[in-house]
Amino acid sequence: FDALLESDDPDAELSLDFTGPSIGLVVEAAPDSGHLLVSVDDEPFRSVEVFDEFSTTLTRPRPLHLASDLPPGPHRIRIRPH
């Protein structure tokens, strides 16, 4: 990985400017995984589940697709723990 970001702050927020029609990230899915709140281009935050059927016994990288079919131009994504 080029970067690994981690925080224990429940009020932490990641903001990233990008250009392109879609965006995703790789998260660590584990038994204690929960949800992320995601907002793209100042839309209301929506909940994205990190935990899945494999997370009960495994800790592993999991790709998450967060937005697609975005119009051309610059965008901003904001991600918070939930």
Side-chain angles (χ1 to χ4, degrees), residues 29-69:
D32 61 348
S33 296
H35 294 80
L36 298 174
L37 294 176
V38 177
S39 170
V40 177
D41 296 336
D42 293 322
E43 290 291 322
F45 279 91
R46 64 182 175 82
S47 181
V48 175
E49 188 169 3
V50 174
F51 189 88
D52 65 9
E53 67 272 14
F54 303 106
S55 299
T56 58
T57 58
L58 297 174
T59 298
R60 65 185 173 80
R62 179 176 180 218
L64 292 177
H65 195 172
L66 301 177
S68 60
D69 298 323

Side-chain angles (χ1 to χ4, degrees), residues 3-23:
L4 176 64
L5 303 175
E6 180 180 8
S7 177
D8 291 330
D9 181 354
D11 296 321
E13 181 175 293
L14 170 69
S15 177
L16 177 71
D17 294 325
F18 68 98
T19 301
S22 63
I23 189 164

